[in-house]
Amino acid sequence: MEFALNEEQQVFQRSTQQFLKSKGDLEIPREYSEGKEEVLDDLWIGLAELGYMGITVSESYGGLGMGPLTLVPILEEMGRAVIPGPYIETVAFAAPLIEKYGSAEQKEKYLEQLASGNRKFTVALLEGNGELSPTNINVLATQKDNEYVLDGEKILVSHADFADTLIVPVRTGNNEQDISLLIVDCDSSTLQMEKQISMDESRKMIKVSFNEVAVPKLQLLGDENTGWEILQDGIQGLNTAWCSNMVGGLDRIVEIATEYANTREQFGQPIGRFQAVKHKIVEMKMNLETARSLAYYAAWALENNTEDVVEAIAMARSLITESFIQSASDNIQVHGGMGFTWEFDCHLFLKRAKSLENYLGSPEDYREQVVSELVGNKESLILER
Amino acid sequence: MEFALNEEQQVFQRSTQQFLKSKGDLEIPREYSEGKEEVLDDLWIGLAELGYMGITVSESYGGLGMGPLTLVPILEEMGRAVIPGPYIETVAFAAPLIEKYGSAEQKEKYLEQLASGNRKFTVALLEGNGELSPTNINVLATQKDNEYVLDGEKILVSHADFADTLIVPVRTGNNEQDISLLIVDCDSSTLQMEKQISMDESRKMIKVSFNEVAVPKLQLLGDENTGWEILQDGIQGLNTAWCSNMVGGLDRIVEIATEYANTREQFGQPIGRFQAVKHKIVEMKMNLETARSLAYYAAWALENNTEDVVEAIAMARSLITESFIQSASDNIQVHGGMGFTWEFDCHLFLKRAKSLENYLGSPEDYREQVVSELVGNKESLILER
Amino acid sequence: MDFYYTTEEEKFRDELRQWLVDNLPEGWIEGKREIPQDNEGQSKFFRDWQRKLFDGGWSGISWPEEYGGRGATLIEEVIYEQEMARVQAPPQINVIGVAMVGPTLLQIGTEEQRERYVNKILNGEEIWCQGYSEPNSGSDLAALQTSAVKKGDKWIINGQKIWTSMAHLADRCFLLARTENTGKKHEGITAFLVDMHQEGVETRPIRSIDDQHIFNEVFLNDAVAYEADIVGEVNKGWKVSLTLLSHERTGVARQIFQLNQVFDELVEMASTLKKNGRPLIEDPIVRQNIGRLRAKSKGLLLNYYRNLTNSIRNGYPGPEGSMDKLGASELGQEIYSYALSLQGSVNTLWKENAAVTAEWQYEYLRSRAYTIEGGTSEIQRNIIAERILGLPKDIKY
Amino acid sequence: MDFYYTTEEEKFRDELRQWLVDNLPEGWIEGKREIPQDNEGQSKFFRDWQRKLFDGGWSGISWPEEYGGRGATLIEEVIYEQEMARVQAPPQINVIGVAMVGPTLLQIGTEEQRERYVNKILNGEEIWCQGYSEPNSGSDLAALQTSAVKKGDKWIINGQKIWTSMAHLADRCFLLARTENTGKKHEGITAFLVDMHQEGVETRPIRSIDDQHIFNEVFLNDAVAYEADIVGEVNKGWKVSLTLLSHERTGVARQIFQLNQVFDELVEMASTLKKNGRPLIEDPIVRQNIGRLRAKSKGLLLNYYRNLTNSIRNGYPGPEGSMDKLGASELGQEIYSYALSLQGSVNTLWKENAAVTAEWQYEYLRSRAYTIEGGTSEIQRNIIAERILGLPKDIKY
């Protein structure tokens, strides 16, 4: 029984923090959203140098061969600084899926490059109204000789402009779940990209249009028409990663609010002396620690592929998303008028939080999933052995 | 535009308060629940003397011929003292239904007696698991000559031991809504009564068993098989009345909490100086005033039979029930340990509040009703003319 | 108890409603509500609207007729706010002048001040802002440090104001400054009418989280005011500031009316947007939330009417306004936040990429300020606790 | 990061589990958990259980072996609480003696005190209560006014204690009294071991809102203690009381484990009860609430394990226990309140008329005390703010 980061993970935490501080900390998302997109390149090079791009890539391809738990401290730190870029999509989605479902050729082609920072992935998942469901995947992949020809449009593809490779669920049949995953190299294709303006400018959202885009059949990830199932696997990774990222945001919010409450004076007192402010920050702290526990557990469950992994991730996701929004809002309140300024950092967290609210499903959806899992499988894994 | 009690209603409020004070105020429910049931008789005589039993009875039968709005101040005061007895069932349910649907004979037989305090009604509505739905009304009324013969069991009949007349929805046919209302005189029937122990001892709950109880057909209120519809009408009256009653409870809670917070000292200060306590009472006050506004409006809508009356009552009911429970709980917290004692009055309100939570439907049910009404009828009656 | 208006009140409403139909920019009522985004265009747009209101007799309706108002009753003011909310009329750029500075000058200004300022307030020729908050005096307003020192016939003003709405478009400022340090912070404050177009006044925009510029910092660097610019007595400015605030009779009303409208739009949106092929409004969980918000919105509105009734009966508004303010600001946040929740994963796309209309996103962010501006929720709770419930004051530290 | 136990820990669990199967009253594990309601019967029942625990070596497991304990590790204590929660074992009547007074005496008691008391604590021969709270010192514990004055070799104690659990069944009391008035309230307090069976001690029951009698008032009217009954030094009792509290290592653990079990029972209930002919658990709104409670319960449990890990690493428990306490008490209230909500209109029928089992109603009412006893939620929040976050202390008025 040991429920905490181990020493190695603590080292990752410290070195990520140092690295991000050296790169500007919260200035990174600010500069990025003001148009200095080169900060992303710079960041990526640094992450690769630290070996962080290869954490989930097996050692034979130059990675560290680690799992979701190792990502936890790194992602928390990234969340603390509202870092832009498709790190999660690359290391917590693309890498594990290619490791697990990729062909030998695909592994050869992508994993080493990914680990060295020379392949940046993102996932082109959503369409239409942004709902995540098999019927909402309608980018059509028509077979033609040894190729699929893609037609259609994906939305909210984060950092598609920065990534060079997309993982794209496409429709390959008429049955609801006739969906396949394709790995699409941006450089070898003619994709149309259009920015979608989002409140959270640290996650650049792109609409990607496929207009008769030919993709070799070799680029199929897993078997044809099994894409939806594989996707579920990938979504577990994405959600777990985002949970830790949000925990980082929560952590930073509590830190910022506490600091402000200790220094800002009104009525001759630091405002943190007033219980209305003091206890509000305590609520934020309570939510933070519960969020962190659930995020740790989700990562542990995913790494160990426990029986309750789906429930563990759904619990974490539903609670953390809501806590993040709530605390980000409360943080603005603690800061008073200054919290409402663009100049202060408070809004970065609120916008990030709100933009993740329904990403891959709403808190309601995930609570529903918790109960579905629960009613089927009521064994408590951790209370008793 | 005048949204407040008028002078007459204020007079009712003051005189009810004086009367209840003279009878012991919060000692009334205490004595009653300790077995001194005669306090109820005494109370009833007093209410009749004040003319309060006849408020909703027309003048030709010795009443005041007033509507739900006039009851508002009286019910608030009763709620403030957690008064026992079937006042609401008698004046806000039985009287209006008999006025509206009763035969000439029924009016003659009951209304004058009701107004003079010599007829006490209650409603024997629920069965089985306590759910309110037509399919859950299964006390069977079999026709036999000029009589119905009743078999079955009603639960949660409040104060059935004190009342002398029951209004009983019974099943008179096989279709779901083949329900009829009967007026059952307790003295002329052989009903079996058994107390059901409830946390809220100020509302005595009785299980009433009908074992081949014969009731003359003349006792049918309204037409046969129209009982469910009539009942809906009656439930509007019950709910509106309970809303004002609960508002009274909320009002008293805020008063009690404020008083305690002003006098109880810890750390050398009245605890009401600590924002954690102070702002908690403010929340209670905010909820109280919203509750009161909604209760006023519900009564006004019912009295004027406005288009939005169903929505108005459902809104009030859903919000007030929850506010009452919340504030009653918070009041205990404000009182600390003393609030947890039987000796202090705090628990009287909590128990009353919780026992009303799902009575005639849960807050969820009423919110659902709000939306049903809303989506059908979106005209705003009060924003514009 | 009734919610009816008198025939005269109805006539008043009809007249205003007709005037709005005739005078709002074309397409406005139908929903084509575009306001220029650049400073100059915006300034012109707002000034034009202010002028139209004035010409139509719809600016400062509660002002006495001799000064160009209608001597409107409180109920008429409420009807005015209802109708303005109904058509989502553009804001009055000179709201501070019309609603507060003008009435204050009429009440306690000098004859010269009335002549010099009042008419130009009403017709929008001179736009006013309000110089109260400072970086170190937000909730603790009386702690203000901007100083005014008498030098000959001039008062030399130094210091900094913040959160000054519309300062970048304003011609004059109703400004509080400290003219004496007695050690008691409510004493020694004086109210000045300050020219914004002078060298010693510099305005810097505050960019707010909704990417808008409404608020400003105002730097006073040897700014000058004259004896004639003092309102009330020297060192008695705190009382003047309270007089000014007391003229804010229907400030929260429009917000409450608007919220009830926004609620209707929320229902509309929930009826249109779909999830799993079904309109959101058919989802039982959505219905619970909508039902809850409905009861709260209506409760808020009814509370307002109840407080209004009291104000009319008593002849003056009570501290219950704090309850309206607290309730409206928190409910507003809740409604806008939920509106975004309903929009699914595209909920933070905004500006030209908004999923429904960008108003939802703008106002979601804007709503974060509701519970801060005009007295934070924490301050409102203290007022309610102390002035309505009679609970102990926070210790004066 | 792992949730596994060592082979030894598993062995420990197996042993306890088997012992419970063998020793709990018949039918207990299957759910027939009846405790006599009358004072005497209850006292006997609890004392018998205490004795059984002792005989089995399951009382005071963290005590050193030489004093009859097992020298259990913190993890073993946690497993102990898990297993006790799992079978919903009867409470240890002498929990104050075993968990707190005994270890305190072992740590700082005199040789005589150890000899005189310790064994009888463990075997349940002498039941202890704790005399801390007073009518005017609840949250402000150090404001206690009960006085002890030295007269010859006796200390004469006068005053009143309140909220003394089990005082009506107790033989001795670990009592704090003021022995000097220095003006500083944390000074001048002394800890006494007081005989409850003397003339000067009168116990009056407090009937609580759940119609139970656990708490008492204790009136001290020239009650007597002797020099030998003083723990630690005279006037240094505040420190002694903190020592005592520090032995409460796993207090909140059982509550957290129990809550997770109660949650399972809630789900069970929601699967059984029906509305409109459908099990409640199929209602989407119910599912949302259950899902929310699930995440909170599990989060609470996981937080506990995380804090436990820290305690083990650091060798001592940190202030995070306040977070466990705050979380557990508020979640407990929420779960029980919701359990009643689910029961429909019969939700407040209780005792023999309860719709499901009366436990739900009893514990619903009982849960109101969770956020008051052992430090109110308001006090916990202050502790978290000040000791964990480093926010300013409330002004010492």
Side-chain angles (χ1 to χ4, degrees), chain A residues 120-134:
Chain A
K120 295 154 291 186
F121 284 77
T122 192
V123 49
L125 179 50
L126 303 174
E127 304 179 24
N129 67 357
E131 201 178 325
L132 178 64
S133 73

Side-chain angles (χ1 to χ4, degrees), chain B residues 1-3 5 262 273 275 278-279 283 289-290 293 300 311 364 367-368 371 378 385, chain C residues 1-4 10 14 86 268 287-288 294 303 306 309 313 381-382 386 390 392-394:
Chain B
M1 158 65 67
E2 175 159 278
F3 190 37
L5 296 184
N262 269 328
R273 182 157 278 154
Q275 288 184 338
K278 187 170 175 173
H279 290 189
E283 281 317 294
E289 296 306 338
T290 305
S293 291
W300 181 78
E311 190 209 350
E364 286 80 10
R367 270 195 293 274
E368 172 59 38
V371 179
K378 278 211 317 204
R385 71 203 135 130
Chain C
M1 203 175 288
D2 73 69
F3 294 93
Y4 303 114
E10 299 284 15
D14 283 338
R86 209 171 60 88
E268 186 63 35
R287 291 169 82 83
Q288 285 295 307
R294 169 68 170 172
N303 271 349
R306 207 144 57 81
T309 302
R313 281 187 182 175
R381 288 198 173 85
N382 269 5
E386 296 164 15
K393 291 205 178 211
D394 278 29

Side-chain angles (χ1 to χ4, degrees), chain A residues 1 278 289 293 311 385, chain D residues 4 14 294 303 386 394:
Chain A
M1 160 66 69
K278 188 171 175 172
E289 296 306 339
S293 291
E311 190 209 350
R385 71 204 132 130
Chain D
Y4 303 113
D14 283 338
R294 170 66 170 172
N303 271 349
E386 295 163 16
D394 279 29

Side-chain angles (χ1 to χ4, degrees), chain B residues 324-345:
Chain B
F324 193 19
I325 295 170
Q326 182 64 50
S327 291
S329 305
D330 287 345
N331 186 38
I332 292 179
Q333 186 68 20
V334 167
H335 279 73
M338 296 315 297
F340 190 64
T341 64
W342 194 275
E343 185 192 345
F344 268 50
D345 295 320

Side-chain angles (χ1 to χ4, degrees), chain C residues 103-353:
Chain C
T104 302
L105 293 181
L106 291 180
Q107 189 185 344
I108 57 168
T110 62
E111 191 50 46
E112 292 72 25
Q113 287 170 344
R114 277 198 282 272
E115 265 180 36
R116 162 70 186 79
Y117 296 118
V118 160
N119 190 47
K120 290 186 175 174
I121 286 175
L122 206 61
N123 67 21
E125 212 171 299
E126 284 184 350
I127 306 300
W128 285 74
C129 63
Q130 186 183 16
Y132 278 30
S133 296
E134 298 184 6
N136 292 315
S137 69
S139 289
D140 186 10
L141 206 58
L144 60 90
Q145 292 162 340
T146 291
S147 71
V149 178
K150 192 161 183 184
K151 240 186 183 170
D153 65 334
K154 294 178 182 170
W155 289 83
I156 309 300
I157 306 175
N158 281 284
Q160 185 191 342
K161 296 291 175 180
I162 195 169
W163 308 122
T164 320
S165 317
M166 296 290 173
H168 57 304
L169 305 179
D171 303 297
R172 300 200 75 90
C173 180
F174 190 97
L175 181 137
L176 297 180
R178 189 160 296 286
T179 40
E180 197 175 39
N181 272 307
T182 65
K184 293 186 184 171
K185 63 184 177 181
H186 293 86
E187 294 174 4
I189 291 170
T190 302
F192 292 93
L193 308 174
V194 175
D195 181 3
M196 293 291 285
H197 302 300
Q198 59 174 303
E199 211 183 328
V201 176
E202 193 198 340
T203 296
R204 280 190 219 155
I206 294 174
R207 185 181 178 189
S208 48
I209 67 172
D210 53 354
D211 202 14
Q212 297 290 301
H213 167 211
I214 293 167
F215 300 111
N216 301 273
E217 293 180 289
V218 176
F219 295 88
L220 300 143
N221 201 350
D222 289 339
V224 176
Y226 297 88
E227 205 64 23
D229 296 329
I230 290 172
V231 184
E233 288 174 53
V234 173
N235 292 336
K236 306 282 186 204
W238 186 251
K239 216 184 118 198
V240 175
S241 78
L242 296 180
T243 304
L244 184 129
L245 289 172
S246 75
H247 287 289
E248 207 355 359
R249 295 200 300 182
T250 52
V252 77
R254 194 186 294 198
Q255 200 187 350
I256 291 174
F257 299 141
Q258 271 168 355
L259 268 184
N260 274 273
Q261 289 214 168
V262 168
F263 173 82
D264 289 344
E265 289 167 23
L266 182 77
V267 175
E268 186 63 35
M269 187 174 82
S271 310
T272 313
L273 295 183
K274 290 182 179 179
K275 185 166 178 173
N276 298 324
R278 230 169 43 145
L280 291 174
I281 193 72
E282 292 177 13
D283 177 335
I285 301 159
V286 171
R287 291 169 82 83
Q288 285 295 307
N289 291 327
I290 299 252
R292 188 177 287 111
L293 291 173
R294 169 68 170 172
K296 284 191 184 181
S297 310
K298 193 84 167 233
L300 180 72
L301 181 63
L302 291 166
N303 271 349
Y304 177 74
Y305 286 134
R306 207 144 57 81
N307 293 338
L308 176 68
T309 302
N310 274 334
S311 299
I312 294 171
R313 281 187 182 175
N314 299 334
Y316 56 87
E320 290 78 14
S322 279
M323 298 181 68
D324 293 329
K325 200 276 186 184
L326 178 62
S329 56
E330 299 203 331
L331 180 61
Q333 291 183 341
E334 204 177 334
I335 287 181
Y336 284 109
S337 183
Y338 189 59
L340 260 59
S341 300
L342 284 181
Q343 292 181 18
S345 59
V346 292
N347 68 351
T348 46
L349 294 185
W350 68 336
K351 301 188 177 174
E352 54 265 42
N353 292 114

Side-chain angles (χ1 to χ4, degrees), chain D residues 17 59 95 109 112 137 144 157 163 176 180 183 186 192 211 236 269 348 357:
Chain D
R17 206 178 271 191
S59 177
V95 61
E112 292 72 24
S137 69
L144 61 88
I157 305 175
W163 308 120
L176 297 181
E180 197 175 39
H186 292 87
F192 293 94
D211 203 14
K236 306 280 187 206
M269 187 174 82
T348 47
T357 104

Side-chain angles (χ1 to χ4, degrees), chain A residues 2-60:
Chain A
E2 174 160 279
F3 190 38
L5 297 184
N6 64 25
E7 272 189 43
E8 187 187 43
Q9 288 154 356
Q10 289 174 31
V11 170
F12 276 119
Q13 182 131 36
R14 282 191 297 273
S15 62
T16 312
Q17 196 170 52
Q18 278 164 13
F19 168 67
L20 293 177
K21 248 187 197 150
S22 76
K23 292 295 173 189
D25 197 4
L26 282 160
E27 283 306 304
I28 301 170
R30 284 193 174 274
E31 289 185 359
Y32 175 73
S33 54
E34 280 159 17
K36 282 182 70 178
E37 306 200 345
E38 57 272 26
V39 297
L40 213 49
D41 298 297
D42 187 39
L43 200 70
W44 219 257
I45 292 166
L47 289 169
E49 283 171 359
L50 285 164
Y52 287 178
M53 293 315 307
I55 291 203
T56 52
V57 172
S58 53
E59 293 173 76
S60 47

Side-chain angles (χ1 to χ4, degrees), chain B residues 51-350:
Chain B
Y52 289 178
M53 292 314 307
I55 291 204
T56 53
V57 171
S58 52
E59 291 174 79
S60 47
Y61 294 104
L64 297 181
M66 308 287 230
L69 267 175
T70 307
L71 290 175
V72 166
I74 298 171
L75 293 167
E76 277 198 20
E77 288 305 319
M78 289 189 172
R80 280 176 52 89
V82 199
I83 293 300
Y87 183 76
I88 285 177
E89 290 81 353
T90 303
V91 303
F93 182 81
L97 286 193
I98 295 173
E99 284 279 354
K100 189 164 169 189
Y101 299 99
S103 64
E105 293 81 1
Q106 289 169 350
K107 290 184 187 176
E108 204 64 48
K109 178 174 174 190
Y110 290 113
L111 288 176
E112 205 170 310
Q113 284 199 31
L114 189 156
S116 64
N118 293 316
R119 274 283 180 178
K120 295 155 290 186
F121 284 75
T122 191
V123 50
L125 178 51
L126 304 174
E127 303 179 25
N129 67 357
E131 199 178 326
L132 177 64
S133 72
T135 54
N136 204 29
I137 292 196
N138 295 308
V139 166
L140 204 64
T142 320
Q143 284 205 37
K144 210 178 170 186
D145 305 327
N146 278 333
E147 292 183 335
Y148 290 106
V149 179
L150 273 51
D151 275 291
E153 199 173 271
K154 294 284 183 180
I155 63 167
L156 300 179
V157 185
S158 61
H159 297 291
D161 58 333
F162 176 72
D164 35 42
T165 318
L166 307 181
I167 295 192
V168 191
V170 294
R171 178 153 295 285
T172 39
N174 293 325
N175 293 321
E176 191 176 290
Q177 298 215 355
D178 285 349
I179 288 162
S180 306
L181 294 189
L182 286 176
I183 308 176
V184 178
D185 297 337
C186 297
D187 50 275
S188 67
S189 317
T190 47
L191 309 176
Q192 285 174 320
M193 298 202 184
E194 192 185 324
K195 185 179 169 186
Q196 298 185 289
I197 308 170
S198 168
M199 271 164 32
D200 177 14
E201 299 188 339
S202 72
R203 275 176 86 212
K204 197 194 277 188
M205 293 301 173
I206 314 267
K207 183 161 74 181
V208 179
S209 304
F210 299 84
N211 198 354
E212 296 197 28
V213 174
V215 179
K217 279 196 77 171
L218 286 171
Q219 295 297 97
L220 187 65
L221 183 63
D223 293 335
E224 198 178 69
N225 293 337
T226 65
W228 186 251
E229 209 176 307
I230 299 176
L231 198 55
Q232 298 320 298
D233 211 344
I235 286 174
Q236 300 298 340
L238 280 178
N239 271 328
T240 305
W242 277 115
C243 281
S244 283
N245 187 286
M246 290 192 278
V247 166
L250 275 164
D251 189 64
R252 190 63 173 273
I253 285 171
V254 173
E255 186 179 303
I256 290 175
T258 303
E259 196 183 316
Y260 193 75
N262 269 328
T263 49
R264 168 73 174 171
E265 296 198 354
Q266 286 288 274
F267 304 101
Q269 295 295 326
I271 59 171
R273 182 157 278 154
F274 298 100
Q275 288 184 338
V277 174
K278 187 170 175 173
H279 290 189
K280 195 188 279 293
I281 302 177
V282 169
E283 281 317 294
M284 292 160 68
K285 172 71 172 172
M286 292 289 290
N287 288 335
L288 159 63
E289 296 306 338
T290 305
R292 179 170 276 146
S293 291
L294 288 172
Y296 280 10
Y297 186 67
W300 181 78
L302 185 61
E303 179 142 327
N304 292 286
N305 194 24
T306 63
E307 264 182 61
D308 65 346
V309 58
V310 175
E311 190 209 350
I313 296 171
M315 268 195 307
R317 185 63 219 273
S318 66
L319 187 140
I320 296 172
T321 315
E322 290 187 337
S323 290
F324 193 19
I325 295 170
Q326 182 64 50
S327 291
S329 305
D330 287 345
N331 186 38
I332 292 179
Q333 186 68 20
V334 167
H335 279 73
M338 296 315 297
F340 190 64
T341 64
W342 194 275
E343 185 192 345
F344 268 50
D345 295 320
C346 307
H347 67 116
L348 302 180
F349 297 94
L350 181 69

